[in-house]
Amino acid sequence: MNGLGGVNRIVVIGLGMTGLSVVRHLLRQPQPLDIKVIDTRVSPPGQEELPPQVSLCSGEWNMSWLLEADLIVASPGIALATPELQQAAQAGIEIIGDIELFARAVTKPVIAITGSNGKSTVTSLVGEMAKEANINVGVGGNIGFAALDMLANDHDLYVLELSSFQLETTSSLKLKAAVYLNLSEDHMDRYQGLEDYSAAKMRIFHHAELAVYNRDDLATRPETQSPMTSFGFDDQAYGLVEQAGQEFLAVNQVPLMPANEIALVGRHNVANSLAALALADAVGIEHVAACRALRRYTGLVHRCQLVVQQHGVKWVNDSKATNVASTLAALKGLDLEGKLHLLVGGDGKGADFSELAPVLANLNVQLYCYGRDGHLFAPLVAEPICVETMSEAMSQAASTAQAGDMIMLSPACASFDQFPNFMARGDAFVTLAQALQHQVAGATEC
């Protein structure tokens, strides 16, 4: 089963991890296919991995290829509103993404997660729950492995993180369960507004056997005839109950485990854990296995990750905070005795950062603004420090930090102005933090 029907001429738009996974999937098909790749970058990543029978046009669009195609598979970073894709669509050529290809080929159960924030954590956590239950699980999508690459391993369960970009080009993905975690402003440079952005995410529920939404964020509740359940901080469905003065995770008011035994840190991760439990139940993962994972799983790299602690100063890598809501979640969970040295900036994606102001006003904070849109953060506090690069911000923070302080990268922006992705930005932060740890103002030589 591959869902390609009589399609022969396929054009893949964009290389990189996703584009290469599409090419590999197409080359695995039993029928020979005419595969071409277009990438407007002059030297696209992964071009050396293309086999000789796959043609590549780089540095420009090739409209003759597009208009002669039977099918176009576009990487999620390419907006459907791109004029070249619009011209192809008007010519009647079907445009899909890698997740739609996956949907047409997969034969095993699939769970999917979307939302503005927390989706990587919930995706990974459900994967850990499945592993604890000895299920052969594949975890990927918008995180880790490309969905199509995982098909080659014939897993018994797939857990996918899906972005709004991926969902735009997905129409037939059948899911055992889907969750929409939360909604906050993001990618406003690509969408016409919050409603348009949310509509893309709502596509996750179109063929879901169970829809899971956030009771504390009703913008995530779908209009669907499918069965629904929810998670939240009250005692309903997947929620919280109190026994003998202690808070417990609960399902339909039946306590499962104390909330303070979750290995993940922060109130937002209590909500993430409840969402993960709902998804795990949908595919029959026993509560004992799910709770073992909750007690063991400590979280993702680049998400509130303590990377250095020396001379009483903590260096925290929260590079995955690529929007305002994610940074807000990190700040609201802080327990800090000294000053917070907060690094913000990068590619703001057209966001409004004013929502950070009241939270920053209640913190003992020194704000360091860097990158292309760093200046947009300056009005949020009385005495910001504005520099060009993240490394300059880190050096200045190290020169003034004292015991009890925290130096945190939680930029509320994408990384693309100075780094290839948030992982590269986080790795750079970790490397420099390790180099600067002995230079903090409070350091003393033994």
Side-chain angles (χ1 to χ4, degrees):
M1 176 182 176
N2 58 41
L4 292 175
V7 167
N8 178 53
R9 294 168 298 184
I10 302 177
V11 175
V12 179
I13 309 297
L15 261 179
M17 184 181 80
T18 299
L20 285 171
S21 75
V22 172
V23 171
R24 285 190 289 264
H25 174 73
L26 295 175
L27 289 172
R28 288 194 297 268
Q29 303 313 307
Q31 75 273 34
L33 297 168
D34 177 6
I35 307 167
K36 293 181 170 67
V37 177
I38 298 173
D39 194 305
T40 57
R41 293 169 289 189
V42 174
S43 298
Q47 60 181 327
E48 68 283 351
E49 298 181 46
L50 285 178
Q53 69 267 38
V54 177
S55 302
L56 171 66
C57 173
S58 60
E60 62 182 351
W61 288 92
N62 187 320
M63 289 308 300
S64 64
W65 284 8
L66 280 182
L67 296 176
E68 292 168 1
D70 300 318
L71 179 70
I72 295 171
V73 184
S75 291
I78 312 297
L80 291 176
T82 301
E84 291 80 3
L85 290 184
Q86 284 289 300
Q87 187 177 342
Q90 289 164 10
I93 300 165
E94 185 180 19
I95 303 172
I96 65 172
D98 69 306
I99 302 302
E100 179 61 22
L101 267 185
F102 173 91
R104 297 178 184 188
V106 68
T107 59
K108 301 293 177 62
V110 186
I111 287 171
I113 297 97
T114 197
S116 298
N117 295 290
K119 54 186 178 291
S120 294
T121 296
V122 174
T123 303
S124 300
L125 185 50
V126 174
E128 294 302 311
M129 290 175 172
K131 291 173 187 175
E132 287 286 350
N134 295 315
I135 295 172
N136 176 14
V137 62
V139 180
N142 194 46
I143 178 180
F145 297 102
L148 288 168
D149 283 345
M150 293 194 298
L151 283 178
N153 296 319
D154 194 27
H155 295 287
D156 295 322
L157 172 68
Y158 295 91
V159 183
L160 301 182
E161 173 187 323
L162 299 180
S163 69
S164 58
F165 295 175
Q166 289 170 310
L167 288 165
E168 286 176 19
T169 52
T170 302
S171 57
S172 63
L173 182 61
K174 295 178 180 177
L175 301 170
K176 296 297 291 183
V179 65
Y180 184 172
L181 295 171
N182 45 58
L183 175 65
S184 62
E185 189 178 82
D186 199 4
H187 303 299
M188 290 299 102
D189 52 346
R190 177 145 162 175
Y191 293 102
Q192 296 178 3
L194 200 60
E195 186 174 340
D196 186 33
Y197 170 52
S198 184
K201 290 193 171 295
M202 282 291 180
R203 293 173 65 90
I204 200 170
F205 293 127
H206 284 184
H207 302 286
E209 292 180 25
L210 176 68
V212 183
Y213 68 92
N214 183 348
R215 290 194 302 280
D216 299 320
D217 187 350
L218 291 180
T220 66
R221 179 172 177 151
E223 295 182 7
T224 177
Q225 300 302 312
S226 299
M228 286 193 292
T229 190
S230 62
F231 66 95
F233 289 136
D234 59 22
D235 64 359
Q236 300 302 300
Y238 292 84
L240 301 172
V241 298
E242 187 173 312
Q243 284 193 351
Q246 190 172 15
E247 189 177 63
F248 281 76
L249 304 187
V251 180
N252 296 322
Q253 301 181 337
V254 177
L256 295 184
M257 63 175 283
N260 63 10
E261 292 183 7
I262 297 170
L264 292 166
V265 175
R267 190 68 175 170
H268 58 294
N269 279 321
V270 175
N272 288 337
S273 299
L274 291 167
L277 281 168
L279 296 175
D281 272 353
V283 289
I285 295 172
E286 294 183 354
H287 286 160
V288 63
C291 290
R292 277 201 306 269
L294 288 172
R295 290 183 171 95
R296 181 179 57 78
Y297 180 63
T298 56
L300 298 162
V301 176
H302 306 301
R303 190 68 180 106
C304 293
Q305 175 195 15
L306 179 62
V307 295
V308 175
Q309 184 171 2
Q310 194 155 350
H311 307 300
V313 176
K314 295 179 179 178
W315 298 72
V316 175
N317 168 25
D318 193 36
S319 182
K320 202 173 188 306
T322 58
N323 56 43
V324 173
S326 194
T327 295
L328 281 171
L331 296 180
K332 289 176 180 177
L334 282 182
D335 181 15
L336 190 62
E337 60 179 275
K339 177 179 285 189
L340 173 65
H341 301 261
L342 180 62
L343 281 60
V344 294
D347 176 0
K349 301 177 288 185
D352 175 8
F353 302 111
S354 62
E355 193 176 351
L356 290 167
V359 177
L360 293 173
N362 291 323
L363 292 170
N364 179 11
V365 63
Q366 174 61 64
L367 199 65
Y368 300 81
C369 313
Y370 76 90
R372 190 181 76 189
D373 292 330
H375 64 283
L376 299 176
F377 293 87
L380 301 179
V381 296
E383 296 181 359
I385 294 175
C386 296
V387 295
E388 290 294 320
T389 66
M390 183 183 76
S391 60
E392 290 178 76
M394 293 176 69
S395 295
Q396 290 210 29
S399 70
T400 58
Q402 303 284 338
D405 288 1
M406 176 184 291
I407 301 172
M408 172 185 272
L409 170 68
S410 189
C413 289
S415 59
F416 303 125
D417 61 328
Q418 296 185 356
F419 299 93
N421 48 53
F422 75 82
M423 296 86 78
R425 177 172 62 189
D427 290 341
F429 176 86
V430 173
T431 299
L432 192 53
Q434 291 168 344
L436 289 171
Q437 60 180 309
H438 299 294
Q439 299 179 29
V440 297
T444 56
E445 295 297 330
C446 296

